[in-house]
Amino acid sequence: MTNDNRYHWKHKDLLDVTQLSLPDVQHLLDIAAGFQEINLRPVKKVPTLKGKTVVLFFVENSTRTKTSFDVAGKRLSADTYSLAKTGSSLNKGESLKDTGLTLQAMGPDVVVIRHPSSGAAEFLAERLSCGVVNAGDGWHAHPTQALLDAFTLRQAWNNDFAGKTLLILGDIAHSRVARSNVHLLNMLGVHVRLCAPRTLLPAGVDHWQADVYDDLDAAVRDVDAVMALRLQLERQQAGLLPDLSEYSRRYCLTARHLSLARPEVGVLHPGPLNRGLEISDEVADGPHSLVLKQVASGVSTRMAVLYLLATRNEGGLSA
Ligand code: NCD
């Protein structure tokens, strides 16, 4: 599917976008574009991963990520199995290592893991011989979210990232989505701005490749896209935000803010949305919203990830 015959996907696991080169990203997005066409057919299934097994091991809540990995696997004819914390022996005190080795003994080709601890996916990847995909580990990384966001933007921007500016708005300190996106967007040539109250900016943000604002009107001016983030109250220490209504007054993305951006500005949000807190209804449901396109992109992008990891040693399978 790539035009370059010398290209070879070499990764056993997908743990973070920082492990990927630009050719890796372009190859993955090209494959996702091919799979997107399957998702538009009346019969949305191809035999590409028939006989392959994908385990979805989600130790943290998820709607979009888990369902889209499941749909992605099934559309490629892989068998997919789900394991959650509730209902698994993790609730009886089994360690992550023992649960991982138990899953591996059943011979899966790929294990997709979401876990509240940063580093959990890497810990499993070092111990399992099958492919491991990080579907979000603590505050650390969420590589498939960044890839599906890039896929969404690539289509919105006709494959031209150069010179574009994207604003990431909201709870950046607690966001694995922001960390993965800042890295990937920079790799693709996008200028990144960040906007949040000081208490929701991460320590060391001055070393991130991004311009930092605390005033939303200034931050949104002339941007090509805004990515609003959920206020992740479950990860915050008490006292970071003394008043939620003050937060929404200053940082909730409204149609007035979009009028300061470029006319064709796109709005992204990884979901779930806190409507009225970080994003207004008029923006979430308005003509600039790419939120449901992101969900559809998630299926195509995760099909590409499962395909690349599950066929890594086969070279001959066609997508
Ligand atoms: C994000 C996550 O879980 O990191 N959501 C997602 O994967 N679609 C962001 C969030 O929870 O706010």
Side-chain angles (χ1 to χ4, degrees), residues 60 64-65 114 142 145 176-177 230 232 235 270-272:
E60 222 186 49
R64 278 149 275 263
T65 306
R114 168 170 285 192
H142 195 349
Q145 181 69 44
R176 53 195 176 205
V177 174
R230 185 173 67 90
Q232 294 166 68
R235 297 201 179 129

Side-chain angles (χ1 to χ4, degrees), residues 223-245:
V223 296
D224 298 280
V226 184
M227 180 182 294
L229 296 176
R230 185 173 67 90
L231 207 46
Q232 294 166 68
L233 297 169
E234 79 281 11
R235 297 201 179 129
Q236 295 183 9
Q237 300 158 334
L240 281 186
L241 281 180
D243 184 353
L244 287 185
S245 59

Side-chain angles (χ1 to χ4, degrees), residues 188-207:
L188 292 167
V190 177
H191 300 290
V192 181
R193 296 182 186 174
L194 305 175
C195 180
R198 283 273 141 203
T199 49
L200 295 185
L201 287 171
V205 71
D206 297 341
H207 303 294

Side-chain angles (χ1 to χ4, degrees), residues 67-135:
T67 311
S68 62
F69 267 114
D70 201 1
V71 171
K74 289 188 164 87
R75 292 211 171 145
L76 294 173
S77 301
D79 296 310
T80 66
Y81 300 91
S82 288
L83 182 71
K85 181 166 189 226
T86 318
S88 81
S89 291
L90 281 177
N91 261 0
K92 297 181 185 168
E94 185 167 64
S95 69
L96 179 60
K97 176 180 167 191
D98 284 335
T99 306
L101 291 175
T102 301
L103 291 175
Q104 160 135 308
M106 299 180 205
D109 297 279
V110 179
V111 172
V112 180
I113 177 171
R114 168 170 285 192
H115 197 282
S117 302
S118 299
E122 187 175 358
F123 176 90
L124 265 199
E126 282 167 0
R127 287 158 182 82
L128 305 192
S129 56
C130 66
V132 173
V133 181
N134 182 6

Side-chain angles (χ1 to χ4, degrees), residues 118-195:
S118 299
E122 187 175 358
F123 176 90
L124 265 199
E126 282 167 0
R127 287 158 182 82
L128 305 192
S129 56
C130 66
V132 173
V133 181
N134 182 6
D137 62 330
W139 303 357
H140 173 234
H142 195 349
T144 60
Q145 181 69 44
L147 288 163
L148 77 86
D149 292 337
F151 185 76
T152 308
L153 290 169
R154 186 166 104 143
Q155 296 198 325
W157 292 342
N158 290 324
N159 210 358
D160 188 9
F161 291 93
K164 297 286 196 296
T165 302
L166 178 142
L167 166 66
I168 302 182
L169 166 68
D171 187 359
I172 293 156
H174 302 95
S175 177
R176 53 195 176 205
V177 174
R179 284 173 176 76
S180 290
N181 259 301
V182 169
H183 186 89
L184 188 60
L185 290 165
N186 270 300
M187 198 197 286
L188 292 167
V190 177
H191 300 290
V192 181
R193 296 182 186 174
L194 305 175
C195 180

